[in-house]
């Protein structure tokens, strides 16, 4: 069931179009991420949903009724800001209770709701502290508790983990996921971190220059990107220009990348004909590396290449390999499986399955 829907929402500041037109829906209990680079319109879209900005055009609906002109406090929507926006002169208890006091809720109800929310975020016992006496992770939990205390239908999170260090960010990411699963509360999460979006989301909305590039599950976004931008933004990638050749006798397509022909089982992008240009996506971890002379695997594309660089990444080795007559690709292999050391100048074979040669529209614009 659609809980929230954006229909052709745009937001302009003077002559500058910041967002739009944007259309997508949020389902009951769903965790939806708005993902994209800085300046793509994620936070502006979130502020329009919260009622802090009014769209220039378009409509926002909650349960099928328009809320585009409704003030923020009547939208049943809670917002956690990127910098948490806690009041430094108020205790943790008073910060969490702030919205309830504005709504003139009875003291007994306020005490009960604050206690319940503090328990949810594992902060019981810290009610008398001030924000300045808390760690970054604790402040983030207080901000989340303050929003949950109002019992919103929808929770909006604007990059709430960006101010935390790497290990704490991973910890809080897991806690946030478990909390959302327990509450089953519809959530829209703004982030530029693809790892966060992939780990947390039921679905992801990819934004670029204020427009929706693709909407799908994390697996759909990663495995079947529809545009070169999505392919490049989500996960490590090799993106190279190519030209479509004729079908092969095995029923695959021949795709010419410079002087190299790759076999692909992918479908042609819309409006692309044989002989037309496409972008080829090759994920680095889908490229196998063999020393020349090793037994060949059963695969579709076995391409002679030369190692141009080797980077140790802990569990992985990142290998730069220049194909004979073609481009330089990046391959990621497990360091523990590299039985023989690879060095710059080594002759190797890059092995790629035809199903891992993905075809995308050639026009990146």
């Amino acid at each position: 069931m659609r809980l929230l829907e954006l229909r052709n929402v745009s937001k302009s500041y003077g002559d500058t179009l910041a967002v739009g037109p944007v259309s997508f829906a949020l389902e009951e209990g769903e965790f939806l991420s708005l993902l994209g680079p800085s300046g793509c319109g994620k936070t502006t879209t979130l502020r329009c949903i919260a009622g802090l900005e009014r769209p220039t055009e378009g409509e926002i609906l909650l349960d099928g009724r328009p809320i585009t002109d409704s003030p923020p406090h009547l939208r049943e929507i809670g917002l956690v800001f990127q910098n948490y926006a806690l009041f430094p002169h108020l205790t943790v208890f008073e910060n969490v209770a702030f919205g309830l006091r504005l709504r003139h809720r009875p003291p007994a109800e306020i005490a009960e709701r604050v206690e319940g929310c503090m328990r949810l975020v594992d902060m019981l016992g810290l009610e008398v502290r001030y924000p300045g006496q808390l760690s970054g992770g604790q402040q983030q939990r207080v901000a989340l508790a303050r929003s949950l205390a109002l019992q919103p239908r929808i929770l909006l999170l604007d990059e709430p983990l960006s101010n935390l260090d790497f290990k704490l960010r991973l910890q809080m990411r897991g806690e946030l996921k478990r909390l959302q699963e327990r509450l089953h509360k519809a959530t829209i999460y703004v982030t530029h971190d693809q790892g966060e979006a992939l780990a947390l989301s039921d679905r992801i909305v990819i934004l670029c220059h204020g427009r929706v590039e693709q909407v799908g599950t994390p697996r759909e976004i990663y495995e079947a990107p529809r545009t070169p931008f999505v392919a490049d933004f989500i996960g490590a990638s090799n993106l190279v220009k190519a030209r479509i050749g004729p079908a092969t006798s095995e029923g695959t397509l021949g795709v010419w990348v410079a002087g190299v022909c790759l076999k692909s089982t992918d479908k042609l992008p819309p409006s692309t004909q044989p002989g037309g240009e496409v972008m080829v996506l090759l994920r680095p971890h889908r490229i196998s590396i063999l020393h020349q002379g090793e037994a060949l695997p059963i695969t579709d594309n076995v391409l002679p290449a030369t190692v141009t660089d080797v980077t140790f990444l802990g569990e992985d080795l990142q290998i730069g390999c220049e194909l004979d007559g073609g481009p330089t690709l990046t391959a990621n292999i497990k360091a523990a499986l590299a039985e023989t050391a690879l060095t710059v100048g080594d002759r190797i074979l890059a092995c790629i399955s035809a199903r891992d040669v993905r075809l995308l529209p050639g026009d990146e614009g």
Side-chain angles (χ1 to χ4, degrees), residues 219-334:
R219 183 172 293 277
E220 288 169 346
I221 293 288
Y222 183 83
E223 297 287 355
R226 294 177 187 166
T227 68
F229 173 82
V230 175
D232 191 42
F233 192 75
I234 297 290
S237 61
N238 296 287
L239 279 171
V240 292
K241 292 183 179 180
R243 188 170 295 278
I244 299 296
T248 68
S249 58
E250 298 90 352
T252 58
L253 280 173
V255 185
W256 286 92
V257 179
V260 176
C261 183
L262 296 173
K263 297 176 183 177
S264 173
T265 59
D266 204 5
K267 296 179 181 179
L268 282 176
S271 303
T272 304
Q273 302 296 325
E277 290 189 353
V278 294
M279 294 294 291
V280 170
L281 167 64
L282 303 169
R283 295 292 189 190
H285 67 280
R286 300 284 174 83
I287 301 175
S288 301
I289 298 296
L290 297 177
H291 283 277
Q292 288 197 346
E294 290 188 73
L296 293 178
I298 300 175
T299 192
D300 306 284
N301 300 293
V302 180
L303 310 171
T306 301
V307 175
T308 58
D309 61 82
V310 180
T311 304
F312 179 71
L313 300 176
E315 292 188 3
D316 294 335
L317 289 177
Q318 181 176 287
I319 311 297
C321 48
E322 183 180 359
L323 304 183
D324 290 0
T328 297
L329 304 178
T330 297
N332 283 2
I333 62 175
K334 292 298 179 184

Side-chain angles (χ1 to χ4, degrees), residues 180-197:
Q180 196 272 342
E181 290 174 344
R182 189 160 74 247
L183 295 176
H184 200 61
K185 187 174 293 294
T187 302
I188 299 179
Y189 187 91
V190 161
T191 182
H192 63 269
D193 187 315
Q194 56 175 274
E196 285 182 9

Side-chain angles (χ1 to χ4, degrees), residues 107-168:
E109 181 183 342
I110 290 175
E112 182 180 356
R113 283 210 209 173
V114 170
E115 180 183 357
C117 290
M118 293 295 283
R119 181 178 291 107
L120 273 175
V121 299
D122 196 24
M123 288 284 287
L124 280 177
L126 301 179
E127 292 87 349
V128 298
R129 290 193 185 181
Y130 290 88
Q133 299 172 312
L134 303 177
S135 68
Q138 290 172 326
Q139 290 182 43
Q140 193 258 2
R141 294 183 196 199
V142 174
L144 187 58
R146 181 178 61 184
S147 189
L148 291 173
L150 298 176
Q151 299 178 335
R153 297 282 307 283
I154 299 170
L155 187 61
L156 308 180
L157 303 173
D158 188 6
E159 302 203 47
L161 308 183
S162 62
N163 294 327
L164 307 179
D165 63 56
F166 179 70
K167 285 191 175 181
L168 184 55

